[in-house]
Amino acid sequence: MAPLRVRFAPSPTGYLHVGGARTALFNWLLARRTRGTFVLRIEDTDMERSSDAMVQGILDGMTWLGLTWGEGPQVGGPHAPYFQSQRLDRYRIVAAQLVASGHAYYDYRTAAPKAKTADGEETPETFGPKSYEDTSVTLSADEVAAREAAGMPRAIRFRVPSEGRTVFPDAVHGEIGFDNAGLEDFVILRSDGYPTYHLSVVVDDMDMQITQVIRGDDHISNTPKQVLLYEALGVPVPGFAHVPLILGPDKKRLSKRHGATSVMEYSAQGIVPEAMVNFLALLGWSPGTDQELFSAAELVERFDLEGISGGNAVFNPEKLEWMNNQHIMVLPDDALIAQARPWLVEAGLWRDAYDGDARPWLVRALGLLRPRAKRLGDIPEGLGPIVRPVTFDPAAAAKHLTTEMAPHLETLADRLADLSTFDAPSIEEVVRGTAEAGGVKAGAFMQAVRVSLVGRTVSPGLFETIELLGHDESLARIRAGARQAQPA
């Protein structure tokens, strides 16, 4: 595949949401796959709703996902600036060129409103039957000059051909066509001098030499107008791939009513970026096999536009949580420690020694905790009872630390004290042997041992936990559990 130039162009009227992140990911994957360039630009012409905090939130979300950009904010590039608010003069120049070439005209009627959807996208302006009264199409040159000299407010409107069809190939949906008669003469520059989405996106893509546009299905209705603009400007039309929308479990468009929509909210919930990238990639794209778990490198190797489905994708939180656990299971030790560290610090469990002599012990502990960790927050939840003094759950102690079990716990401590090899297989043999010799059920006895060790009925593997705690600490806890015993 030839190197492609693709872009992600979010509006900083909100943080990086799931749908935008999926679009960014698809563009990033295609750029990496073709050894092309991934451009990030910020569509911040809605000055009332845009903010620096939102811009930073978008950059933070992209960085957390690992979606590095080759051109754009913070890194620059040959087509700077990458903020639309810094490119206003360029849009005005192109709009004037389109007027001069006869493809656009001045409209002195009421200027088009700044219509916005809930996501901040401009809605197509609707003006009914085409009429050129009070526009530069029907006014004489002198009348236009007089109005311009007087500074009369006017918009610039693109003149859509009255006949024919505007057709473009779509990598997802196949050929798509629109009758020109059904397209209004749309505004490209408002009377306040600000461009509409149609003009700014085309000028940016033209200037930044974008060769492939991947964006949501909700932009399909915008595409014929933009194709007409490309053609009027005499530049190549990029390829298009409109990807399906993301729906919530109720099959309605994903929104805040379904829970978190910002990707950084998922970071705060303990989702690791490797899992989020994997999960987002499979929202509307398929590798053509049953494989579900991918690293970013594997996604780059496998991704293509042909794998994108035309049907809407459903966001399944349970699937994300399962996938998160799968990635936690295989993360390299240092990577998992780095991602878990803030959670351990917040829980008061981080020790400076984990960066030194105690690091091998922490690696072993994480090895026991990984299988149960659906989110990063589960790691301090599991580690706390191991590294802190035991606090007995009253219900667990009352049920399992009975006077019947107390002597068997004491016997176990004595037998473990005599072990020459203190490892999980040897420990298991002693625990099961003690239960058998004492005439108690192994399952019930092991729960009593578990509650003695961590104060509750849930822990990593019992025998591995004893080995991890070590000889002295394990025996002390088991004997403390025996002393805790009370009548059943």
Side-chain angles (χ1 to χ4, degrees), residues 299-416:
L299 288 170
V300 168
E301 183 180 346
R302 300 284 293 279
F303 185 79
D304 56 35
L305 295 177
E306 289 73 20
I308 298 176
S309 166
N312 291 326
V314 177
F315 189 101
N316 184 335
E318 290 77 18
K319 186 64 171 288
L320 173 58
E321 194 170 68
W322 170 82
M323 193 169 283
N324 198 52
N325 171 254
Q326 298 300 303
H327 278 274
I328 286 175
M329 288 286 290
V330 299
L331 276 175
D333 293 329
D334 287 346
L336 181 57
I337 290 173
Q339 295 196 43
R341 181 170 182 162
W343 297 83
L344 295 172
V345 169
E346 184 177 359
L349 296 174
W350 181 261
R351 305 288 180 266
D352 290 341
Y354 292 155
D355 279 329
D357 293 343
R359 195 175 190 85
W361 184 91
L362 179 61
V363 168
R364 288 168 54 208
L366 292 178
L368 298 184
L369 297 171
R370 287 177 191 255
R372 291 177 176 268
K374 294 182 178 179
R375 298 172 183 263
L376 288 173
D378 294 334
I379 291 175
E381 175 69 19
L383 187 64
I386 296 174
V387 299
R388 289 186 172 129
V390 178
T391 300
F392 292 104
D393 174 70
K399 182 176 180 180
H400 298 287
L401 299 182
T402 63
T403 52
E404 177 190 358
M405 286 295 181
H408 304 302
L409 291 171
E410 291 285 5
T411 299
L412 175 63
D414 292 339
R415 296 185 66 182
L416 287 174

Side-chain angles (χ1 to χ4, degrees), residues 98-116:
L98 289 168
V99 172
S101 66
H103 290 97
Y105 56 90
Y106 296 136
D107 186 347
Y108 297 96
R109 296 169 295 184
T110 302
K114 293 183 178 181
K116 296 282 182 180

Side-chain angles (χ1 to χ4, degrees), residues 58 83 92 128 131 167 202 206 214 233 255 314 385 393 402 440:
I58 290 170
F83 288 81
R92 293 161 186 161
S131 171
V167 179
V202 167
M206 174 181 69
I214 306 174
L233 292 168
S255 67
V314 177
D393 174 70
T402 63
V440 294

